[in-house]
Each structure stands twice: as C-alpha cells, then as structure tokens.
Amino acid sequence: MPQAIRFHETGGPEVLRLENVEVADPGPGQARVRHSFIAVNFIDIYFRTGRYPLALPDGLGSDAVGVVEAVGPGVTEVKAGDRVGYLTGPQGAYSQVRVMPAAVLIPLPEGLPDRTAATLMMKGMTAQYLFRQVRPLQAGETILYHAAAGGVGLIACQWARALGVTMIGTVSTDEKAALARAAGCAHVIVTARENTVERVREITGGRGVPVVYDSVGKDTLMDSLDCLQPRGTLVSNGTSSGSVVIDSQLLAAKGSLWMTRPAMAHYIQPRAHMLEMARELFDHVLAGRIVSEPQRSFALADAAQAHRALESRQTAGSTVLVP
C-alpha cells in the first residue's frame, strides 16, 4: 500500500507521521503521479504549525516531480508515462503516489533530470515571478535580496547574473556567503557581523537600491526599508522570522515607498502562462545559466528530520525527500 506523510494536529516536526494511504484511480480531469523526488519548502512549516490553517488530518507538501501512471476521462494536458512536476494544488506532495488535477502538471523536458527538476518547481518558479513579473528587473540595476543562499536565493543569484543585474545578498554565515558568491551574487553581506544598511549604502554610493526582495519578514523589515531609494519597492515574499506589520505613514516618511506581498497563485494563471514561466526557467537550466541540485536529501520517512534541519537554519539551497 502506498505511504504518505500525514499530520493530525499542528505542532513541531514530531506531528508528522508516515501512514499507509489509499490512492484511488484518477477521475475526470485527474492524473495519478508516482513521485521520484519531493521538495521541502519553508511554507510547509507554516502549514505544519498552523500559521496557514488546514482541515486536519491532512497531507503536507506543495511540489514534487515524478511520472504519470494513469489519467482520467477528458485529460488532454498529460498522458501516462509523461515526466511531470507541479507546484500548486492540494497539500499532499509528501507521498509516494497521489492523484492530482491534471491542469496543474507541468511536463518536464528531455535533458532535465528529476533530481534537478525537484529543486525548480516552487523555488525556480518563485525566482521567475519575483524577477520577471512582480517587479521586472532590467540589466544594470542593483538589488538587495535577503537569504541569498536559500533554495530560491541560489537560483535568484544566477538569474540576476543572467539578466545583467548586480545582486547584493544577505546570508547568516561565511559558508553560505561562499555559496552565494559561487552562484553569482556580486556582493554578499554576512549579517552576523555586518550592518546591512551601511553596506548597501556603501556599495551603491549612498543611493540605496530600487527594490528589495525580503523573504525573512519581521527581523529584516526596517533594514529593507532603509536600503531603498525614494519610491523604491519592497517585495515582501516571505515571513520566516515572523509576520510583517507596517504603518503606511512609515512608507511615506521613508521616501514614498511601495510595498507588495505577492502570492504565487496570482501569478501562474492561466495554465498557458504557467507553462511559459516554466519554459523560461527550463531554458536557463538547459543552457547552463542556472545550475540547481539538492543540497540535502532525506527519506520520505524522515520528513520530520528534514523540517528540523530547515527550521534550525542548518540547510542551504534546496532540500528534497526521496520516497
């Protein structure tokens, strides 16, 4: 019988259980996918702890890659035998096999290994919509990106370089700084011993940057605002340190700043647009402009251990589960 990670109550990693599950045949508009690799994302912790509520018991995980085993009536998007990935749909990617809406499945091109693709579905597509849609970047710009050695961050370093953008990245350790530099981050700030605002002003000749991408949230909010040029944009794309609460008067006082809190769901519709986003990402990877491989792998049964590593900031880059 197939197995999946389930949780019956919110809490720490210990609430995650490996259970036997029934997997039905796909119905109309559905496909059954057997996973080869499953991505672990920080948002999974939000669901596990109840920050993002679910009706429990439920599964966990939003993106994975694998092969289509069967399709239901009326499915034209994919066929049995197709290699696919996904980054949206119901929770439950932490599983060996599951039934999914066929419309959310993205065919994987030849030459793109499953192991690589597992690091790209949510993380690579996040870099795409941040840099190409939320606040489109232009060659010659200088930006600030927090958590530059994270799963999205290492892809963002390379994408910025491909666009001709100078990226200033923040990291917590010298080891992570080395990873960010190797990925193309032009300037790396180690926050444990450097002042972010002072370094950004020094790098930019006092001007600041036109945009900050901040997935950290509460702990970096004021630094992010203080690094912006007048009429600059704060893209708050995560809250790993806590939620962001801001008075609009502060945005005016600091230079008529803009702030947005984007969500992937609003940037991947319709399906044709999602596929075009994926095509752009895959083209960069196949051309060698973006290289992405898991930094750490855990067995599906060890999902709790993967969460502990992620929460304790022991990880850099992407983490995957292997069913």
Side-chain angles (χ1 to χ4, degrees):
M1 180 175 287
Q3 293 185 308
I5 295 292
R6 307 272 294 170
F7 66 118
H8 297 251
E9 59 183 348
T10 58
E14 68 278 359
V15 303
L16 301 180
R17 306 179 189 175
L18 185 67
E19 300 180 354
N20 294 328
V21 294
E22 296 281 352
V23 180
D25 291 331
Q30 295 181 326
R32 188 173 69 241
V33 179
R34 181 166 294 277
H35 294 145
S36 53
F37 292 93
I38 302 150
V40 180
N41 298 297
F42 212 92
I43 194 174
D44 302 343
I45 294 170
Y46 297 164
F47 284 111
R48 192 203 73 218
T49 58
R51 181 184 293 188
Y52 293 172
L54 293 170
L56 299 180
D58 205 338
L60 195 63
S62 57
D63 68 302
V65 299
V67 63
V68 176
E69 289 190 328
V71 299
V75 171
T76 59
E77 295 90 349
V78 295
K79 63 183 185 303
D82 284 352
R83 295 170 53 246
V84 297
Y86 61 87
L87 68 151
T88 186
Q91 290 289 300
Y94 288 18
S95 59
Q96 294 176 331
V97 60
R98 68 184 300 208
V99 172
M100 291 288 293
V104 306
L105 300 178
I106 300 172
L108 302 180
E110 291 186 16
L112 182 67
D114 286 10
R115 180 180 173 85
T116 299
T119 70
L120 300 173
M121 303 315 300
M122 177 66 77
K123 298 176 180 69
M125 293 284 270
T126 295
Q128 197 282 343
Y129 95 98
L130 290 178
F131 283 7
R132 305 288 285 145
Q133 299 184 72
V134 176
R135 202 296 191 168
L137 297 179
Q138 303 296 324
E141 289 188 304
T142 298
I143 68 171
L144 175 62
Y145 190 101
H146 289 294
V152 180
L154 290 180
I155 296 173
C157 291
Q158 298 173 79
W159 207 315
R161 180 172 57 187
L163 291 171
V165 169
T166 298
M167 181 164 148
I168 305 170
T170 68
V171 298
S172 57
T173 67
D174 289 314
E175 291 76 15
K176 291 182 178 181
L179 288 173
R181 288 192 189 96
C185 191
H187 305 276
V188 184
I189 299 169
V190 181
T191 56
R193 56 179 171 78
E194 296 182 277
N195 182 288
T196 299
V197 178
E198 290 178 359
R199 286 287 290 123
V200 167
R201 294 290 173 180
E202 176 186 337
I203 292 165
T204 61
R207 294 184 302 275
V209 294
V211 57
V212 176
Y213 297 91
D214 188 344
S215 63
V216 178
K218 179 174 65 69
D219 289 353
T220 50
L221 172 62
M222 295 309 297
D223 280 354
S224 294
L225 296 177
D226 288 339
C227 287
L228 284 167
Q229 299 171 359
R231 296 191 295 176
T233 301
L234 171 61
V235 179
S236 176
N237 58 295
T239 54
S240 61
S241 69
S243 297
V244 169
V245 178
I246 190 165
D247 183 343
S248 62
Q249 291 295 331
L250 185 62
L251 298 177
K254 288 187 175 292
S256 296
L257 305 178
W258 298 83
M259 179 176 174
T260 182
R261 179 64 170 95
M264 177 71 79
H266 302 133
Y267 285 86
I268 59 171
Q269 299 296 332
R271 174 175 171 79
H273 178 63
M274 178 179 69
L275 295 179
E276 180 59 26
M277 291 169 61
R279 183 204 60 76
E280 182 181 20
L281 169 63
F282 296 158
D283 282 353
H284 278 303
V285 176
L286 293 174
R289 291 184 291 269
I290 292 175
V291 177
S292 184
E293 294 293 327
Q295 296 291 317
R296 297 194 67 177
S297 300
F298 295 84
L300 177 62
D302 295 327
Q305 185 179 344
H307 275 224
R308 291 187 184 97
L310 194 62
E311 285 182 294
S312 64
R313 299 296 194 272
Q314 296 175 19
T315 62
S318 297
T319 297
V320 297
L321 302 176
V322 183

